[in-house]
Amino acid sequence: MTMRRRTVVRWGLAACASQAAWCAPRRAMAAPAPWPDRPVRLLVVYPPGGVSDGMARVLAQPLSQALGVPVLVEHRAGAGGSVGMAALARAAPDGCTLAFSAISPLTLQPLLTRVRYDPVRAFVPVASVMRTPVLVVGTPAFAGRGFGALVALARSQPAAVRWASSGVATLGHMVLVQVRAQSGAVITHIPYQGGGPQLKDALAGHFEVLSTNVAAQQLQYIENGRLQPLAVGAPARLDVLPDVPTLEELGFPQANLVSLFGIFAPARTPVGVVQRLNAEINRILNTEALRQWLREAHNLPAAGSVESFAREITLDRVRNRTLVAGHAALFD
């Protein structure tokens, strides 16, 4: 058994053994009073300018009003979100430091890269917030038309296709891995540190393909012809791109992925704080203002309980562990 496989197995056993901890935040300490007594920091673990930045800022204002203290958005980007999550793991568990992140830094990155936190025990899931479709686009460097032409090119000319994502072990990377696994195509992965830099290089034609979150800026470049939409990862075709097939329609059901984002707190954050935050965030997500913002950003609300969010994280971790164990070489 290779070192990577042994690491995956040990990490998987630890995850299963501690699943109950995810689903039982009631074991945390009793909430101190009063809370909050100072501003709350909301760490966004991705660079400014992306959909996660926009959502965090839209959420911060009404959450500040609900809590009675400022909610300050602070960027801690890098390594596909793991830099920011490491900062959260070091924070005091007092409810005054939170993070907004996709779940991949907890469910995928620890399988592939070294992270500076325990992905199972270092955090408490507070509230799921949104589901973001994945958009696969061709850049000016790709002369073909359509996803089929992309796969055909990668099969006929190994390593001729460069595919960029926002980092190793991000959802965009997972889409690429699944396409590689099913098609047998040789495609070079180009990992970035976040969505902003990769979009700039995409427009300059530094690589052929980009997988990114659906956002207004990307859609604008599609509309003016600077990017070619190839596929979406979503339950169904997007209203804004009705002619663009899902990856499942194209014959890649395992690549048809949607990114789940949410709020996290350090482990041992008081249960009363976690439940209060969950209630306030769910209330805000159900307001018309937030629903309209999500519609305009072509994202889906994902309100729910602490326990349901924890279960989704656990299920995603199990799926990823199986994928990595079966296709470890595709991640290299």
Side-chain angles (χ1 to χ4, degrees):
M1 184 180 291
T2 66
M3 182 176 294
R4 172 175 282 176
R5 288 179 182 273
R6 288 196 297 269
T7 300
V8 169
V9 171
R10 288 198 300 270
W11 187 80
L13 292 173
C16 291
S18 58
Q19 178 177 351
W22 278 101
C23 297
R26 64 182 64 87
R27 296 179 182 175
M29 299 182 301
W35 175 86
D37 59 355
R38 61 184 183 280
V40 173
R41 298 162 62 219
L42 179 58
L43 308 180
V44 179
V45 305
Y46 306 105
V51 66
S52 57
D53 179 30
M55 181 72 246
R57 294 184 185 281
V58 169
L59 185 63
Q61 183 177 359
L63 186 59
S64 175
Q65 294 172 348
L67 299 179
V69 299
V71 175
L72 307 175
V73 175
E74 178 181 327
H75 288 274
R76 290 291 185 93
S82 64
V83 169
M85 294 307 285
L88 181 67
R90 296 191 298 268
D94 56 8
C96 290
T97 305
L98 308 170
F100 183 67
S101 175
I103 65 174
S104 54
L106 279 66
T107 65
L108 179 60
Q109 285 168 314
L111 292 169
L112 301 172
T113 62
R114 186 183 295 268
V115 296
R116 296 174 179 254
Y117 49 83
D118 184 323
V120 179
R121 298 182 178 89
F123 310 106
V124 175
V126 173
S128 52
V129 172
M130 67 180 185
R131 300 182 195 276
T132 301
V134 173
L135 177 62
V136 180
V137 297
T139 77
F142 176 54
R145 300 298 299 177
F147 196 82
L150 167 70
V151 173
L153 174 63
R155 282 174 171 160
S156 63
Q157 300 181 41
V161 174
R162 298 161 293 176
W163 183 317
S165 78
S166 56
V168 172
T170 60
L171 202 73
H173 184 199
M174 284 289 288
V175 171
L176 166 58
V177 168
Q178 294 283 14
V179 170
R180 279 173 171 172
Q182 188 167 343
S183 69
V186 178
I187 301 173
T188 302
H189 181 220
I190 309 295
Y192 278 73
Q193 294 297 315
Q198 69 173 358
L199 183 58
K200 178 181 178 181
D201 283 358
L203 295 170
H206 290 182
F207 44 78
E208 286 71 29
V209 186
L210 168 67
S211 52
T212 182
N213 292 324
V214 174
Q217 191 172 25
Q218 285 87 330
L219 294 171
Q220 178 184 346
Y221 291 128
I222 288 172
E223 185 176 353
N224 63 28
R226 297 184 67 185
L227 295 174
Q228 177 193 164
L230 301 175
V232 294
R237 294 192 184 196
L238 304 180
D239 291 341
V240 70
L241 295 170
D243 298 326
V244 180
T246 68
L247 284 156
E248 184 167 13
E249 288 181 80
L250 291 166
F252 296 90
Q254 300 303 318
N256 196 51
L257 301 172
V258 177
S259 185
L260 176 61
F261 287 79
I263 302 290
F264 297 88
R268 299 182 301 281
T269 297
V271 61
V273 169
V274 172
Q275 294 292 354
R276 167 84 185 280
L277 285 166
N278 179 272
E280 296 292 0
I281 291 167
N282 277 301
R283 180 187 59 77
I284 293 167
L285 288 174
N286 284 317
T287 63
E288 181 54 32
L290 262 290
R291 287 185 172 275
Q292 180 177 346
W293 189 92
L294 286 167
R295 284 195 298 268
E296 292 175 353
H298 311 288
N299 288 265
L300 305 171
S305 67
V306 174
E307 292 79 10
S308 64
F309 189 26
R311 283 193 294 271
E312 289 208 56
I313 293 168
T314 299
L315 288 173
D316 194 63
R317 181 179 290 121
V318 171
R319 285 193 295 264
N320 291 337
R321 187 172 67 247
T322 301
L323 175 66
V324 172
H327 301 287
L330 295 174
F331 289 89
D332 295 332

